[in-house]
Amino acid sequence: MVYVLNVYGKPLMPCSSVIARLLLKQGKAKVKGRTPFTIQLLYKTETEYVQSLTHGLDSGSAKVGSAVSGEKGNIVYMAQIETRYRKARWLNRKNSMKKDRFSPTMTSKIHAHVREMKFVQTVLPISKTIIETATFDPHALKNPAVLTNKWLYQKGINYGYANTKAYVLTRDGYCCQHCKGKTKDKRLEVHHIIFRSENGSDEEDNLLTLCKTCHDALHRGEVALKKKGKKKGKLNHATQMNSIGIQLLKRTHAEETFGFVTKEHRQLMRLPKEHYFDAVAITTQGKEPTFKTSNVLFKKCVSYGDYQQTKGVRSEQVMPTGKLFGFRKFDKVQYKGNDYFIKGRMSTGYAILMDTEGNKVDLKPIPKFSKMKRVSARKSWMTIPKIILSFYSCAT
Ligand SMILES: [Zn+2]
Ligand SMILES: [Zn+2]
């Protein structure tokens, strides 16, 4: 899959790499970007057939899933973004102690989402964006009629119950309400206090989170619940409302969806639990996806404030950020045929390299600047494309 821009830089529908190669060979296009591979046409197109593409975003605090699909569920883009993580050492600084509405971490995470949305719009003609804002829809708890929504059309799914279950898990803090996590069983289930067989309702006050171990034991009659009767919801709605997704909705023209919908749809598609597959389930709105790409762009945010610019306990020693041998920290480089990022530079002309995960790569002999090529200057993102092989083999 190659992304295509018109002569003015406006995104068109992507094309296959075969067509892209032909256009480049004929001098009808030039390379605009390498990750992801993007070409720009050098001639004016008469009619521009632009399909309507939907961008789905699985918002999250640590990892963000991103995917784009066409009307028929054709997947043309997948990415996973690792948002910036600040080390705890910043937390005791005066600036971060200020009682702002959002902490610097929260602000930077919102920016990471917005940046991804903007990026996608530079390479693909996006007409709609859908963001997963929360795991459940609070409005639908009391009024399931609001779930009669256009993106909830997959037959056979009880969206109302799925929403209530997602609520109950959140209400119970994703913790077994019988053993309180003592069994260390991570498989959580939702139990009917008055059994369904005894006409127990599907409403939240009849539901309780139990781990599978406790749940099975309970149904075998080996344990009895300590608590009986109604459970009061003790959910902190303020926390819900401050989610990154809700902030994004306020800042963009996106539509909203919820985790319980994504989960049902993803399971229906039999896709593994990955943020980019959640984004696939969001963007197709439950339609069976057809993967036109098996590439996932793994992105990691780095910005000027993101890495250590000073050295020493009291941060008194400013580290050089200018060019050294024509290279800067975080530049993407090619060395012996592989792509790396510069982690450290030595005045003796050697470099310490790292992969996209930020892991130091031990290379012997130590790579020399004179032996490497700068692929691109440091950007706010480090991007490495990965082909998901296991999934590729089942798609063909
Ligand atoms: Zn338990
Ligand atoms: Zn049960």
Side-chain angles (χ1 to χ4, degrees):
M1 186 109 302
V2 177
Y3 303 106
V4 185
L5 310 179
N6 75 4
V7 76
Y8 306 109
K10 198 177 135 239
L12 302 173
M13 287 304 288
C15 70
S16 70
S17 50
V18 178
I19 291 174
R21 236 177 286 141
L22 199 69
L23 288 167
L24 289 168
K25 209 176 154 193
Q26 292 173 339
K28 287 180 177 170
K30 64 172 181 181
V31 177
K32 189 74 182 153
R34 300 226 169 243
T35 322
F37 202 73
T38 309
I39 59 166
Q40 182 168 19
L41 300 180
L42 295 169
Y43 63 96
K44 282 185 191 171
T45 40
E46 281 174 20
T47 48
E48 281 169 2
Y49 170 68
V50 174
Q51 225 190 312
S52 95
L53 296 180
T54 301
H55 181 206
L57 206 59
D58 172 27
S59 77
S61 179
K63 278 174 183 164
V64 183
S66 176
V68 177
S69 75
E71 280 161 4
K72 288 174 183 162
N74 289 344
I75 305 299
V76 296
Y77 173 92
M78 283 185 283
Q80 181 168 294
I81 301 95
E82 205 176 303
T83 66
R84 193 169 135 195
Y85 171 69
R86 275 165 180 257
K87 282 190 185 145
R89 68 190 189 97
W90 296 101
L91 291 174
N92 49 21
R93 298 281 168 85
K94 268 186 186 160
N95 265 340
S96 54
M97 302 283 273
K98 274 186 197 164
K99 288 214 168 142
D100 280 322
R101 193 161 140 69
F102 295 113
S103 63
T105 307
M106 179 74 168
T107 308
S108 89
K109 283 179 193 299
I110 292 169
H111 283 164
H113 286 75
V114 173
R115 203 183 289 156
E116 169 66 3
M117 286 166 75
K118 283 184 179 162
F119 170 77
V120 165
Q121 286 163 16
T122 63
V123 292
L124 287 162
I126 303 295
S127 56
K128 187 165 81 175
T129 305
I130 305 171
I131 300 172
E132 182 187 304
T133 55
T135 53
F136 67 92
D137 181 354
H139 305 292
L141 285 173
K142 283 184 187 136
N143 180 22
V146 302
L147 291 176
T148 328
N149 193 302
K150 57 192 166 184
W151 35 260
L152 305 171
Y153 69 93
Q154 287 295 338
K155 290 192 177 70
I157 293 177
N158 184 346
Y159 288 103
Y161 183 49
N163 184 42
T164 310
K165 275 198 295 188
Y167 167 79
V168 168
L169 287 166
T170 311
R171 179 199 68 191
D172 296 343
Y174 288 88
C175 181
C176 174
Q177 297 302 292
H178 183 69
C179 70
K180 299 279 177 190
K182 278 195 192 104
T183 63
K184 302 232 187 312
D185 189 347
K186 292 233 163 72
R187 298 164 299 171
L188 296 177
E189 295 174 346
V190 171
H191 166 68
H192 286 74
I193 299 169
I194 300 169
F195 293 0
R196 254 182 176 162
S197 56
E198 287 160 19
N199 281 329
S201 84
D202 279 349
E203 277 157 42
E204 57 110 345
D205 52 13
N206 190 42
L207 300 171
L208 196 67
T209 304
L210 292 177
C211 69
K212 194 173 186 316
T213 305
C214 292
H215 197 190
D216 288 349
L218 185 104
H219 280 265
R220 283 196 305 264
E222 289 164 14
V223 295
L225 282 180
K226 287 165 199 156
K227 287 181 197 167
K228 271 180 187 163
K230 286 191 174 184
K231 266 192 70 79
K232 275 264 156 64
K234 46 184 172 188
L235 198 71
N236 183 359
H237 277 278
T239 322
Q240 280 281 117
M241 297 320 281
N242 272 339
S243 83
I244 292 166
I246 301 236
Q247 290 309 315
L248 284 174
L249 272 194
K250 285 183 185 170
R251 288 163 167 78
T252 59
H253 297 285
E255 283 181 29
E256 183 181 30
T257 189
F258 300 95
F260 74 92
V261 180
T262 309
K263 192 183 166 192
E264 295 291 328
H265 288 171
R266 183 175 48 72
Q267 286 176 345
L268 204 74
M269 296 166 184
R270 277 179 261 103
L271 290 172
K273 191 168 164 39
E274 295 288 352
H275 293 277
Y276 45 88
F277 285 141
D278 274 338
V280 164
I282 293 168
T283 181
T284 71
Q285 299 166 81
K287 271 190 222 89
E288 190 65 27
T290 308
F291 291 92
K292 296 290 178 189
T293 179
S294 55
N295 250 327
V296 181
L297 297 174
F298 285 86
K299 305 179 182 186
K300 191 183 174 122
C301 296
V302 284
S303 67
Y304 286 92
D306 200 24
Y307 45 85
Q308 203 177 354
Q309 282 178 316
T310 52
K311 207 173 167 182
V313 185
R314 283 173 222 283
S315 316
E316 67 279 14
Q317 194 186 341
V318 177
M319 296 203 312
T321 48
K323 278 188 185 178
L324 195 64
F325 301 99
F327 292 87
R328 301 176 88 168
K329 198 175 174 183
F330 291 109
D331 277 352
K332 190 177 182 178
V333 295
Q334 204 164 56
Y335 178 70
K336 291 187 172 172
N338 292 314
D339 285 348
Y340 300 101
F341 294 94
I342 292 187
K343 186 175 172 71
R345 301 167 303 164
M346 293 178 241
S347 55
T348 44
Y350 294 94
I352 300 159
L353 302 178
M354 63 179 171
D355 60 23
T356 179
E357 258 65 298
N359 303 317
K360 186 180 157 190
V361 186
D362 266 319
L363 294 165
K364 297 273 157 59
I366 303 171
K368 261 188 156 172
F369 281 120
S370 54
K371 295 263 170 71
M372 59 185 75
K373 208 180 96 196
R374 196 161 82 142
V375 181
S376 57
R378 65 169 165 193
K379 288 177 184 164
S380 47
W381 276 353
M382 293 195 292
T383 304
I384 289 263
K386 280 182 195 164
I387 293 172
I388 18 172
L389 285 170
S390 57
F391 137 74
Y392 185 68
S393 56
C394 67
T396 50

